[in-house]
Amino acid sequence: MAKDSGEVQLFGLGGSPFVRRVQIALKLKGIQYTYFEEDIRNKSDLLLKYNPVHKKVPVLVHNGKPLAESLVILEYIDETWENYPILPQQPYEKALARFWSRFIDDKCLPAISKAAWTMDKVEREKGIEESIEALQFLENELKHKFFGGETIGLVDIAGAYLAFWLPVIEEAVGLKLLSSDKFPKLHKWSQEFTNNPVVKENLPPRDKLLGFFKARYAASITTSK
């Protein structure tokens, strides 16, 4: 049963992995919320009011108080609603979860972006090398079914991009990074994560996302000529 959570609003964009992080966390905790889909090319006055610094999604508004940045929002959600904790209780384990969540955003995502979308061959190869190195660190860190142990936690939610968006990007641009032979634990984790019922119902349609990335890649090739 959904917990009484006051007024919760989420401003997002359907295909955004950062918005989907927040939706997964809210759903895991059974929090009811009102969702507002944003047009990133024509941002609403409310979005600009609630996130004047970055002017982007996601933005969570709880009882009139706005918060931006997905990892910040995830921690707020976890501290505000205690059922289904997504961060460890012990300070050291909690610090590690924060570290690896930031690692995904600061190391994995930029490297993958470079590998997938850079048209310069040298830079693209560099991005592939950086991606493989970053994924290897995560492979070594994964010691259970999920990064959070036997249940989904902060690092798993932060890694939603790797589990769902990355394979779609790989198909769209003809790239292979997260293979079962190179990263068996990560590959199995990605399947366990995306097949979780709560996660599955809070992911965007795969075919629509694939079409978007194929179009983006085709445009990148055309622009680079």
Side-chain angles (χ1 to χ4, degrees):
M1 182 179 291
K3 185 178 177 182
D4 182 14
S5 51
E7 185 183 12
V8 181
Q9 300 169 315
L10 176 63
F11 293 79
L13 186 67
S16 167
F18 305 104
V19 173
R20 296 292 177 161
R21 286 174 175 177
V22 178
Q23 291 180 298
I24 289 168
L26 289 170
K27 188 68 176 180
L28 284 170
K29 287 180 173 283
I31 305 304
Q32 294 179 334
Y33 65 96
T34 304
Y35 178 75
F36 298 92
E37 178 77 7
E38 284 289 330
D39 180 352
I40 227 63
R41 292 165 296 185
N42 185 25
K43 298 169 185 176
S44 70
D45 292 338
L46 276 178
L47 176 64
L48 299 176
K49 172 189 172 183
Y50 288 137
N51 190 7
V53 177
H54 297 299
K55 302 180 176 64
K56 62 182 182 180
V57 294
V59 174
L60 183 83
V61 184
H62 183 211
N63 291 330
K65 297 177 181 179
L67 275 175
E69 299 299 302
S70 62
L71 294 182
V72 173
I73 294 171
L74 291 180
E75 290 211 37
Y76 175 81
I77 289 172
D78 200 46
E79 291 175 1
T80 303
W81 295 284
E82 294 179 356
N83 57 308
Y84 198 102
I86 59 175
L87 274 120
Q89 300 304 301
Q90 296 301 317
Y92 180 71
E93 283 74 19
K94 186 179 289 187
L96 280 181
R98 288 171 173 149
F99 173 85
W100 288 111
S101 299
R102 292 279 4 150
F103 176 83
I104 290 169
D105 279 7
D106 296 343
K107 296 293 184 182
C108 295
L109 271 59
I112 291 167
S113 180
K114 188 190 295 185
W117 307 116
T118 303
M119 292 298 107
D120 180 83
K121 187 177 180 181
V122 174
E123 283 299 302
R124 187 181 177 90
E125 287 299 321
K126 187 178 177 183
I128 292 172
E129 289 176 12
E130 291 173 356
S131 299
I132 291 172
E133 181 183 31
L135 290 171
Q136 188 62 59
F137 277 115
L138 290 175
E139 174 81 4
N140 296 341
E141 181 62 21
L142 184 56
K143 298 176 177 67
H144 304 282
K145 180 179 179 180
F146 297 111
F147 286 96
E150 292 304 308
T151 57
I152 291 171
L154 178 69
V155 183
D156 303 291
I157 297 171
Y161 177 92
L162 304 177
F164 184 76
W165 277 260
L166 176 54
V168 179
I169 291 171
E170 289 177 330
E171 183 178 343
V173 306
L175 188 66
K176 195 58 185 174
L177 296 172
L178 191 59
S179 60
S180 57
D181 57 333
K182 282 184 182 177
F183 305 108
K185 291 192 291 183
L186 269 181
H187 188 266
K188 185 177 179 182
W189 160 82
S190 71
Q191 294 179 322
E192 293 277 7
F193 180 75
T194 54
N195 285 321
N196 177 277
V198 170
V199 173
K200 200 169 188 176
E201 70 175 301
N202 284 282
L203 293 173
R206 193 183 191 280
D207 56 345
K208 187 175 180 180
L209 199 63
L210 180 60
F212 171 80
F213 286 136
K214 281 184 174 179
R216 178 180 172 182
Y217 186 61
S220 299
I221 293 174
T222 303
T223 304
S224 67
K225 288 181 179 178

